[in-house]
Amino acid sequence: MEKALILGASGGVGAALVDRLRAQGVAVTSLSRSGDGLDLTRPDSVAAHARALADHRFDLIFNATGALVIDGRQPEKTMDALDPEAMAAHFALNATGVALVIRHFAPLLSREGRPVLASLSARVGSIGDNGLGGWVSYRAAKAAQNQIIRTASIEWRRRNPRAVLVALHPGTVATPLTAKYAGRHPTITPDESARALLGVIETLTPEDTGSFRDWKGQIVPW
């Protein structure tokens, strides 16, 4: 890997990915909302940042954006707590935003080697693995993201047969936000997650495009 683009580079996992890749000698381009104004909920913002990189080609494009709490609205515990505006905000960032990333940034994938476009999903977006309920907006938006990636991978198999599009669950990463929700789940540091995710990416082949994997490389059920 020679060149990588990290979206959401100011977040815990995103920043750790930037640090690890640069330590490996990879030329990293990093974008974030706080540092560069990249806002996945605004189509014009995504398109403009992609146009600015039109002359670049990347071996890895990693979307590390996403949010569990948006505008202070906590995850729903029951359907009675459902807020349509909060649900729309989750879809705008965690689903539609990913579709915009693929539309505008996937053309920047290299046509040599085995280019990868990876996006942070979440195990709670798995329909088959949902045995607890709750968090309906976040779960549904992440499930939609997974379908978007799966669908886009079919088109990109024709457009760039070497490319791999994949959804990745980063593990329960220890951050101030997850401390409130981790409960009894074991956590890992952002650096541990980044190391593991890059290890998974190294093993992917074009046959793995459109899949949903966790930080250990295991397939997560849809």
Side-chain angles (χ1 to χ4, degrees), residues 28-51:
V28 179
T29 301
S30 60
L31 293 174
S32 67
R33 185 175 62 176
S34 61
D36 307 282
L38 173 64
D39 186 346
L40 266 58
T41 68
R42 291 177 46 209
D44 58 335
S45 174
V46 181
H49 281 87
R51 282 197 302 271

Side-chain angles (χ1 to χ4, degrees), residues 17-192:
L17 285 165
V18 171
D19 289 344
R20 279 206 160 261
L21 287 167
R22 285 179 174 161
Q24 295 172 13
V26 177
V28 179
T29 301
S30 60
L31 293 174
S32 67
R33 185 175 62 176
S34 61
D36 307 282
L38 173 64
D39 186 346
L40 266 58
T41 68
R42 291 177 46 209
D44 58 335
S45 174
V46 181
H49 281 87
R51 282 197 302 271
L53 295 171
D55 294 333
H56 296 256
R57 292 296 178 268
F58 298 97
D59 305 303
L60 171 65
I61 298 175
F62 199 114
N63 172 43
T65 65
L68 173 60
V69 177
I70 300 177
D71 296 330
R73 292 166 167 149
Q74 305 298 317
E76 314 95 335
K77 294 183 179 180
T78 69
M79 292 298 294
D80 291 338
L82 185 68
D83 180 336
E85 290 185 0
M87 177 174 273
H90 271 286
F91 270 80
L93 176 60
N94 293 315
T96 306
V98 177
L100 291 171
V101 165
I102 295 171
R103 175 184 176 184
H104 293 289
F105 285 102
L108 305 182
L109 287 170
S110 172
R111 300 195 70 85
E112 304 296 328
R114 181 192 47 88
V116 175
L117 189 153
S119 184
L120 286 188
S121 186
R123 187 177 294 275
V124 295
S126 166
I127 297 172
D129 193 50
N130 182 2
L132 296 176
W135 292 23
V136 61
S137 296
Y138 184 70
R139 286 183 186 276
K142 288 296 189 179
Q145 176 187 157
N146 295 343
Q147 179 68 286
I148 289 164
I149 292 171
R150 176 71 174 181
T151 301
S153 73
I154 296 169
E155 175 181 343
W156 276 90
R157 191 179 291 125
R158 298 189 293 267
R159 295 178 64 174
N160 187 346
R162 296 174 179 268
V164 181
L165 277 64
V166 64
L168 295 176
H169 168 59
T172 304
V173 183
T175 66
L177 177 64
T178 58
K180 183 175 180 180
Y181 302 103
R184 299 177 182 177
H185 295 285
T187 60
I188 57 176
T189 67
D191 182 66
E192 288 172 325

